[in-house]
Each structure stands twice: as C-alpha cells, then as structure tokens.
Amino acid sequence: MRAYVYDDIPGDQRLPHDSGNPISLNTLSELGVIYKEIPIDEDKQWEKEIDEFAKQRGYKNRDQITVTREGLGEAYEDKIKSFFDEHLHEDEEIRYILGGSGYFDIRGINPPHADRWIRISLTSGDLIVLPAGIYHRFTVDSNNTITAMRLFQDEPKWTPYSRSLPDTDERAARGEYLEQVKSAKA
C-alpha cells in the first residue's frame, strides 16, 4: 500500500497521479481508514486471517469481484467511470485485494488535505476498510485488472450515494462520519 495526495492534473484516472506528497498510515487512520496487510501465501494462512478479521468486525457475508476489460466487455469503460464517481455508502466498504491492483481515492477533510483527494494504491494482500460516510471513488490502474474480496455485515449490498446529488451531504452516515473524525481529533 502506498498513499499520497492526488495531483489533480487532468488525464486518465488509471494513471498514478502522484503529487510526490506522501500520506502516512497515521493520517489515514485519523480519517477513519483501516489498513492491514495480509500476504497471500501458498499455505492459505491468509484465509484464516480474513476469517478472524471478519469475525472481529461482525462480517457474515462476502463475495468476490473481478474487474477486467475481458470480463466486462463493452460495459468496461462505463463501469470504470461509474466506480470513479465521488460517492459515499451508509456501511463500511471493505476490500481485500486478491490479485491485480487499483486505487481508492478518499476525500481529505482536515488541513492540510481539506477537500483534497488522497490516493491509496492497493495490490495483492492489501486490506482496506473505508468508514461509512467517507467520500471516495475507485479505479483500476493502467494494468486494467483487479480481483477483490468484498465483506459485508449483512446481505451483500453496494449502494453508492453520489456527491452530486443534493441530499448526500445530509445523509446520516455522512454526519456520523464527520462527528467520528472530529471526536478522534479532540
């Protein structure tokens, strides 16, 4: 995992867009992001670690998603663009990267990163938990392939609330997230 401030230079979203300004795990933690490295090994120890992590956080369901040009066919470009729309969820978003690579961008809320994108580069063995209410977006990188395990507390659901909608900022999950970050900083 590598995190840094997104450079905001127009261009292909799949490129690194690395501003050269690194972001620490501590800064990610202050924003409510949880990161854990669980290397994928031949002995499949990683499966036990994922099971334990899921149990600790109360996750009962999981599935797997593979995003490739071949797998999605003509829908690929539209799907990638939809993932890249700034949005939030009312539940945590947990992804464990099984193969390939991609980027999660999260919206900073505290100076010096207030309202800047923070790009988190993930590869095989990286696990990330984005808190409910955090604005974020996702894209594959220039390799155009990623396979991720998604974990859910209840039935699998993935409902994005686009920031472009007028009431998204008023959603309960957003208010609770901002309060959580503010309380953690105090």
Side-chain angles (χ1 to χ4, degrees):
M1 186 280 299
R2 195 168 60 86
Y4 50 88
V5 175
Y6 186 86
D7 67 13
D8 285 324
I9 296 172
D12 189 339
Q13 69 196 39
R14 293 168 274 209
L15 295 176
H17 289 278
D18 190 343
S19 66
N21 183 0
I23 298 294
S24 69
L25 278 175
N26 188 52
T27 298
L28 293 178
S29 180
E30 288 171 359
L31 291 168
V33 175
I34 297 169
Y35 169 78
K36 185 175 176 88
E37 183 179 13
I38 303 174
I40 295 178
D41 58 348
E42 289 180 20
D43 297 338
K44 297 199 177 207
Q45 252 332 93
W46 66 269
E47 289 179 345
K48 293 175 187 165
E49 287 191 54
I50 290 293
D51 289 344
E52 183 59 33
F53 186 81
K55 183 179 174 185
Q56 289 170 0
R57 298 193 69 81
Y59 288 93
K60 302 174 195 103
N61 291 301
R62 62 185 76 172
D63 68 9
Q64 185 173 309
I65 183 170
T66 298
V67 178
T68 63
R69 188 177 303 279
E70 298 76 28
L72 295 174
E74 290 184 27
Y76 179 77
E77 291 297 330
D78 288 338
K79 195 55 121 170
I80 292 300
K81 285 181 180 135
S82 75
F83 292 156
F84 204 63
D85 178 55
E86 183 174 8
H87 63 279
L88 61 79
H89 302 286
E90 293 183 332
D91 297 307
E92 290 181 332
E93 182 165 336
I94 298 92
R95 299 294 181 265
Y96 177 58
I97 310 305
L98 297 165
S101 47
Y103 304 112
F104 273 95
D105 296 339
I106 60 170
R107 189 62 87 170
I109 59 172
N110 298 320
H113 310 296
D115 216 33
R116 297 285 315 269
W117 282 115
I118 296 171
R119 176 153 276 194
I120 306 167
S121 175
L122 300 172
T123 60
S124 180
D126 289 333
L127 181 138
I128 192 167
V129 180
L130 301 180
I134 192 172
Y135 281 119
H136 66 283
R137 60 190 185 187
F138 169 78
T139 187
V140 293
D141 62 16
S142 58
N143 293 316
N144 289 307
T145 182
I146 194 165
T147 300
M149 178 185 294
R150 304 184 298 182
L151 295 120
F152 305 93
Q153 288 180 334
D154 296 308
E155 290 303 311
K157 67 178 179 177
W158 188 82
T159 306
Y161 295 95
S162 178
R163 190 170 190 184
S164 65
L165 298 175
D167 65 340
T168 302
D169 271 342
E170 281 73 49
R171 296 200 78 78
R174 181 66 180 165
E176 290 165 10
Y177 168 71
L178 292 172
E179 192 58 41
Q180 171 193 5
V181 171
K182 187 172 124 181
S183 296
K185 199 114 171 108

